[in-house]
């Protein structure tokens, strides 16, 4: 659905994007993750035709965003960080106005508005002035406007920024529900936001993609932790090192007679069942056997800390 190839964007001497490439298939919720200034908003503005790239290309459903900006915009619903709503209008007036601006068939406006209102659960505030709504409902109204034309793709920039915990939960549920029928790009620097709503994360750091994959892949560790009761630490390490898929073994601390071993694996090998069988055969009481997976926060921190400083 979205193809980005060697996309670059410079503002004078500042390189906002340094040649990023990725593909997003239909029906996926992708978190565009990064610190402030990483290039997230620049990427989204290029996709929606607001900015021109300095080099490279971006295609939406086969259409070049530079050569066919209007056709691309018809396929996208875009919600900026601060929903662009008219505070002095009633919700129903604003949505009717946005439907007209979208060029929707006047005969079908009521149907389009009704579907968006139901999707965003704002029917009970339709006769209220937007300026009198909470920020959570501001976001809902902005989102309803973004989906009036039933776009194939939704691009959301910090959709829960400034919301309270209950409002955040409501918007997350809304995004997950819409993700059942649409491709969604969710830009944020809030890690739990991605973990709660997304299938996949693209991590941007200093204008470059440093990680791109399913959340389960990004957080998957190549270390298996096993805790067994044994007096022969060296012998146990040697035995565990012979398990198929184990590259090396690091003995760790002991606790209440149980010794910890960290098994470094070859690739994505699954060794849990084999390790459990070895423990049973050796007569080692087994206290713990787990994959030492990371959190998304740990992954992000490691990537950030490994990024060299850019000379000023």
């Amino acid at each position: 659905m979205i193809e980005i190839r060697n996309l670059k964007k410079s503002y004078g001497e500042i390189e906002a994007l340094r040649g990023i490439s990725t593909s997003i298939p239909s029906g996926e919720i992708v978190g565009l993750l990064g610190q402030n200034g990483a290039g997230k908003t620049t990427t989204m503005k290029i996709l929606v035709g607001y900015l021109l790239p300095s080099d490279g290309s971006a295609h939406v459903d086969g259409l070049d965003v530079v050569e066919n900006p209007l056709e691309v915009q018809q396929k996208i619903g875009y919600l900026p960080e601060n929903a662009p709503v008219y505070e002095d209008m009633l919700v129903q007036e604003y949505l009717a106005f946005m439907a007209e601006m979208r060029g929707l068939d006047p005969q079908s406006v009521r149907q389009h508005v009704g579907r968006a209102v139901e999707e965003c659960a704002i029917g009970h505030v339709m006769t209220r002035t937007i300026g009198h709504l909470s920020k959570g409902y501001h976001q809902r109204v902005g989102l309803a406007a973004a989906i009036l034309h039933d776009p194939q793709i939704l691009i959301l920039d910090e959709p829960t920024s400034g919301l309270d915990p209950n409002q955040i939960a409501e918007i997350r549920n809304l995004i997950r529900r819409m993700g059942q029928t649409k491709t969604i790009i969710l830009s944020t620097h809030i890690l739990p936001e991605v973990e709660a709503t997304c299938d996949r994360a693209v991590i941007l750091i200093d204008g470059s993609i440093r990680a791109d994959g399913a959340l389960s892949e990004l957080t998957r560790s190549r270390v298996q932790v096993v805790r067994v009761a044994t007096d022969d630490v060296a012998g146990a390490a040697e035995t565990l090192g012979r398990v198929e898929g184990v590259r090396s073994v690091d003995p760790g601390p002991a606790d209440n007679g149980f010794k910890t071993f960290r098994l470094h694996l070859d690739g994505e090998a699954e060794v849990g069942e084999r390790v459990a069988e070895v423990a049973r055969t050796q007569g080692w009481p087994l206290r713990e056997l787990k994959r030492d997976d990371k959190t998304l926060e740990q992954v992000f921190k490691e990537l950030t800390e490994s990024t060299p400083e850019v000379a000023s």
Side-chain angles (χ1 to χ4, degrees), residues 104-218:
L104 298 178
D105 181 359
Q107 301 300 318
S108 64
V109 165
R110 178 172 294 185
Q111 178 183 347
H112 283 279
V113 171
R115 178 188 49 77
V117 167
E118 181 178 0
E119 191 81 25
C120 297
I122 57 174
H124 60 293
V125 299
M126 289 292 283
T127 57
R128 293 179 58 182
T129 304
I130 294 176
H132 294 162
L133 299 177
S134 67
K135 184 164 183 181
Y137 275 97
H138 269 78
Q139 293 296 85
R140 284 175 179 261
V141 172
L143 191 53
I147 65 171
L148 277 174
H149 58 303
D150 195 20
Q152 298 168 272
I153 299 166
L154 276 178
I155 297 180
L156 311 176
D157 191 358
E158 304 285 359
T160 62
S161 176
L163 303 187
D164 66 38
N166 289 333
Q167 294 169 337
I168 288 173
E170 291 170 357
I171 295 297
R172 285 176 179 173
N173 290 334
L174 187 56
I175 292 170
R176 282 195 294 266
R177 190 163 65 248
M178 290 184 175
Q180 297 174 7
T181 58
K182 302 181 186 301
T183 301
I184 298 179
I185 297 177
L186 168 65
S187 170
T188 183
H189 63 277
I190 303 173
L191 300 172
E193 203 66 43
V194 175
E195 293 177 311
T197 57
C198 298
D199 309 308
R200 171 181 160 201
V202 176
I203 300 178
L204 272 172
I205 297 177
D206 193 26
S208 299
I209 293 178
R210 293 294 303 276
D212 183 355
L215 297 187
S216 58
E217 295 172 354
L218 294 179

Side-chain angles (χ1 to χ4, degrees), residues 41 44-45 48 76-80 102 142 146 153-157:
T41 298
M44 291 185 297
K45 286 183 175 179
V48 301
I76 291 177
Y78 177 44
L79 181 65
R102 272 284 177 186
I153 299 166
L154 276 178
I155 297 180
L156 311 176
D157 191 358

Side-chain angles (χ1 to χ4, degrees), residues 198-307:
C198 298
D199 309 308
R200 171 181 160 201
V202 176
I203 300 178
L204 272 172
I205 297 177
D206 193 26
S208 299
I209 293 178
R210 293 294 303 276
D212 183 355
L215 297 187
S216 58
E217 295 172 354
L218 294 179
T219 58
R220 189 69 164 156
S221 172
R222 294 187 178 183
V223 175
Q224 187 89 31
V225 176
V226 56
R227 294 178 65 206
V228 295
T230 177
D231 294 325
D232 184 6
V233 175
E238 183 179 350
T239 300
L240 291 170
R242 291 196 296 267
V243 173
E244 182 182 354
V246 175
R247 176 167 47 84
S248 62
V249 179
D250 287 337
D255 181 24
N256 293 326
F258 285 85
K259 189 69 176 179
T260 301
F261 298 88
R262 292 175 62 82
L263 314 183
H264 299 271
L265 311 179
D266 286 323
E268 298 299 323
E270 291 289 348
V271 302
E273 291 185 7
R274 291 193 286 271
V275 171
E277 178 60 23
V278 167
R280 187 190 65 79
T281 301
Q282 296 293 323
W284 301 332
L286 179 61
R287 171 65 61 87
E288 183 178 35
L289 180 61
K290 68 175 184 179
R291 197 74 172 245
D292 192 24
D293 290 340
K294 303 174 183 178
T295 65
L296 189 58
E297 181 177 0
Q298 289 172 318
V299 172
F300 185 75
K301 184 177 180 181
E302 289 176 4
L303 290 171
T304 304
E305 291 177 345
S306 66
T307 302

